[in-house]
mmCIF file of all heavy atoms in Angstrom:
data_model
loop_
_atom_site.group_PDB
_atom_site.id
_atom_site.type_symbol
_atom_site.label_atom_id
_atom_site.label_comp_id
_atom_site.label_asym_id
_atom_site.label_seq_id
_atom_site.Cartn_x
_atom_site.Cartn_y
_atom_site.Cartn_z
ATOM 1 N N VAL X 316 -37.835 -99.462 -0.278
ATOM 2 C CA VAL X 316 -36.449 -99.801 -0.005
ATOM 3 C C VAL X 316 -35.875 -98.861 1.099
ATOM 4 O O VAL X 316 -35.196 -99.313 2.016
ATOM 5 C CB VAL X 316 -35.621 -99.715 -1.280
ATOM 6 C CG1 VAL X 316 -34.133 -99.825 -0.958
ATOM 7 C CG2 VAL X 316 -36.029 -100.809 -2.248
ATOM 8 N N ALA X 317 -36.177 -97.572 0.950
ATOM 9 C CA ALA X 317 -35.678 -96.580 1.947
ATOM 10 C C ALA X 317 -36.260 -96.875 3.322
ATOM 11 O O ALA X 317 -35.561 -96.867 4.339
ATOM 12 C CB ALA X 317 -36.044 -95.189 1.500
ATOM 13 N N GLY X 318 -37.569 -97.196 3.347
ATOM 14 C CA GLY X 318 -38.238 -97.519 4.637
ATOM 15 C C GLY X 318 -37.664 -98.793 5.244
ATOM 16 O O GLY X 318 -37.437 -98.855 6.473
ATOM 17 N N PHE X 319 -37.406 -99.796 4.402
ATOM 18 C CA PHE X 319 -36.846 -101.036 4.909
ATOM 19 C C PHE X 319 -35.451 -100.797 5.456
ATOM 20 O O PHE X 319 -35.072 -101.305 6.507
ATOM 21 C CB PHE X 319 -36.804 -102.085 3.790
ATOM 22 C CG PHE X 319 -36.242 -103.406 4.231
ATOM 23 C CD1 PHE X 319 -36.953 -104.256 5.071
ATOM 24 C CD2 PHE X 319 -34.975 -103.804 3.806
ATOM 25 C CE1 PHE X 319 -36.434 -105.469 5.489
ATOM 26 C CE2 PHE X 319 -34.435 -105.036 4.218
ATOM 27 C CZ PHE X 319 -35.161 -105.848 5.035
ATOM 28 N N GLY X 320 -34.665 -99.997 4.716
ATOM 29 C CA GLY X 320 -33.322 -99.677 5.168
ATOM 30 C C GLY X 320 -33.340 -98.946 6.525
ATOM 31 O O GLY X 320 -32.497 -99.210 7.397
ATOM 32 N N PHE X 321 -34.312 -98.049 6.695
ATOM 33 C CA PHE X 321 -34.456 -97.329 7.958
ATOM 34 C C PHE X 321 -34.763 -98.291 9.081
ATOM 35 O O PHE X 321 -34.192 -98.199 10.188
ATOM 36 C CB PHE X 321 -35.568 -96.285 7.828
ATOM 37 C CG PHE X 321 -35.858 -95.550 9.116
ATOM 38 C CD1 PHE X 321 -35.007 -94.573 9.620
ATOM 39 C CD2 PHE X 321 -36.997 -95.837 9.847
ATOM 40 C CE1 PHE X 321 -35.290 -93.901 10.770
ATOM 41 C CE2 PHE X 321 -37.292 -95.189 11.011
ATOM 42 C CZ PHE X 321 -36.440 -94.211 11.495
ATOM 43 N N LEU X 322 -35.682 -99.249 8.824
ATOM 44 C CA LEU X 322 -36.033 -100.220 9.882
ATOM 45 C C LEU X 322 -34.847 -101.118 10.210
ATOM 46 O O LEU X 322 -34.636 -101.460 11.399
ATOM 47 C CB LEU X 322 -37.219 -101.081 9.377
ATOM 48 C CG LEU X 322 -38.569 -100.371 9.256
ATOM 49 C CD1 LEU X 322 -39.599 -101.328 8.679
ATOM 50 C CD2 LEU X 322 -39.050 -99.872 10.655
ATOM 51 N N VAL X 323 -34.090 -101.508 9.204
ATOM 52 C CA VAL X 323 -32.904 -102.334 9.452
ATOM 53 C C VAL X 323 -31.893 -101.583 10.335
ATOM 54 O O VAL X 323 -31.379 -102.144 11.302
ATOM 55 C CB VAL X 323 -32.231 -102.735 8.104
ATOM 56 C CG1 VAL X 323 -30.852 -103.356 8.336
ATOM 57 C CG2 VAL X 323 -33.095 -103.724 7.352
ATOM 58 N N LYS X 324 -31.651 -100.314 10.001
ATOM 59 C CA LYS X 324 -30.712 -99.536 10.810
ATOM 60 C C LYS X 324 -31.223 -99.366 12.241
ATOM 61 O O LYS X 324 -30.446 -99.407 13.196
ATOM 62 C CB LYS X 324 -30.522 -98.140 10.184
ATOM 63 C CG LYS X 324 -29.380 -97.340 10.833
ATOM 64 C CD LYS X 324 -28.047 -98.007 10.651
ATOM 65 C CE LYS X 324 -26.871 -97.175 11.173
ATOM 66 N NZ LYS X 324 -26.817 -97.054 12.613
ATOM 67 N N LYS X 325 -32.510 -99.127 12.383
ATOM 68 C CA LYS X 325 -33.091 -99.018 13.736
ATOM 69 C C LYS X 325 -32.898 -100.301 14.528
ATOM 70 O O LYS X 325 -32.574 -100.267 15.721
ATOM 71 C CB LYS X 325 -34.597 -98.708 13.650
ATOM 72 C CG LYS X 325 -34.943 -97.301 13.161
ATOM 73 C CD LYS X 325 -35.011 -96.291 14.315
ATOM 74 C CE LYS X 325 -36.244 -96.540 15.151
ATOM 75 N NZ LYS X 325 -36.356 -95.517 16.216
ATOM 76 N N SER X 326 -33.098 -101.444 13.861
ATOM 77 C CA SER X 326 -32.916 -102.730 14.520
ATOM 78 C C SER X 326 -31.468 -102.938 14.911
ATOM 79 O O SER X 326 -31.172 -103.409 16.030
ATOM 80 C CB SER X 326 -33.381 -103.852 13.569
ATOM 81 O OG SER X 326 -33.129 -105.120 14.166
ATOM 82 N N LEU X 327 -30.551 -102.603 14.017
ATOM 83 C CA LEU X 327 -29.133 -102.746 14.309
ATOM 84 C C LEU X 327 -28.727 -101.875 15.498
ATOM 85 O O LEU X 327 -27.969 -102.308 16.380
ATOM 86 C CB LEU X 327 -28.292 -102.338 13.076
ATOM 87 C CG LEU X 327 -28.321 -103.290 11.878
ATOM 88 C CD1 LEU X 327 -27.581 -102.654 10.687
ATOM 89 C CD2 LEU X 327 -27.684 -104.644 12.221
ATOM 90 N N ASP X 328 -29.218 -100.678 15.515
ATOM 91 C CA ASP X 328 -28.889 -99.743 16.624
ATOM 92 C C ASP X 328 -29.429 -100.269 17.939
ATOM 93 O O ASP X 328 -28.760 -100.211 18.966
ATOM 94 C CB ASP X 328 -29.476 -98.366 16.344
ATOM 95 C CG ASP X 328 -28.728 -97.616 15.240
ATOM 96 O OD1 ASP X 328 -27.608 -98.030 14.907
ATOM 97 O OD2 ASP X 328 -29.277 -96.636 14.695
ATOM 98 N N ALA X 329 -30.672 -100.796 17.946
ATOM 99 C CA ALA X 329 -31.273 -101.318 19.170
ATOM 100 C C ALA X 329 -30.487 -102.525 19.710
ATOM 101 O O ALA X 329 -30.221 -102.598 20.912
ATOM 102 C CB ALA X 329 -32.732 -101.685 18.919
ATOM 103 N N THR X 330 -30.143 -103.426 18.823
ATOM 104 C CA THR X 330 -29.376 -104.607 19.270
ATOM 105 C C THR X 330 -27.984 -104.225 19.697
ATOM 106 O O THR X 330 -27.446 -104.778 20.658
ATOM 107 C CB THR X 330 -29.316 -105.645 18.129
ATOM 108 O OG1 THR X 330 -30.630 -105.947 17.687
ATOM 109 C CG2 THR X 330 -28.622 -106.917 18.574
ATOM 110 N N VAL X 472 -24.232 -108.292 15.083
ATOM 111 C CA VAL X 472 -24.898 -107.004 14.826
ATOM 112 C C VAL X 472 -23.951 -105.840 15.151
ATOM 113 O O VAL X 472 -23.881 -104.840 14.405
ATOM 114 C CB VAL X 472 -26.159 -106.894 15.689
ATOM 115 C CG1 VAL X 472 -26.729 -105.488 15.628
ATOM 116 C CG2 VAL X 472 -27.220 -107.892 15.167
ATOM 117 N N ASN X 476 -22.901 -102.957 12.549
ATOM 118 C CA ASN X 476 -23.128 -101.547 12.854
ATOM 119 C C ASN X 476 -21.846 -100.768 12.846
ATOM 120 O O ASN X 476 -21.795 -99.616 12.375
ATOM 121 C CB ASN X 476 -23.794 -101.413 14.253
ATOM 122 C CG ASN X 476 -24.849 -100.373 14.253
ATOM 123 O OD1 ASN X 476 -25.420 -99.993 13.210
ATOM 124 N ND2 ASN X 476 -25.197 -99.872 15.446
ATOM 125 N N ILE X 479 -20.938 -100.128 9.253
ATOM 126 C CA ILE X 479 -21.735 -99.017 8.681
ATOM 127 C C ILE X 479 -21.215 -97.686 9.176
ATOM 128 O O ILE X 479 -21.096 -96.731 8.431
ATOM 129 C CB ILE X 479 -23.196 -99.177 9.081
ATOM 130 C CG1 ILE X 479 -23.798 -100.399 8.354
ATOM 131 C CG2 ILE X 479 -24.001 -97.935 8.712
ATOM 132 C CD1 ILE X 479 -25.220 -100.742 8.805
#
Side-chain angles (χ1 to χ4, degrees):
V316 170
F319 180 71
F321 175 75
L322 290 176
V323 168
K324 188 63 174 71
K325 288 272 289 183
S326 176
L327 289 173
D328 288 342
T330 304
V472 170
N476 220 21
I479 292 173

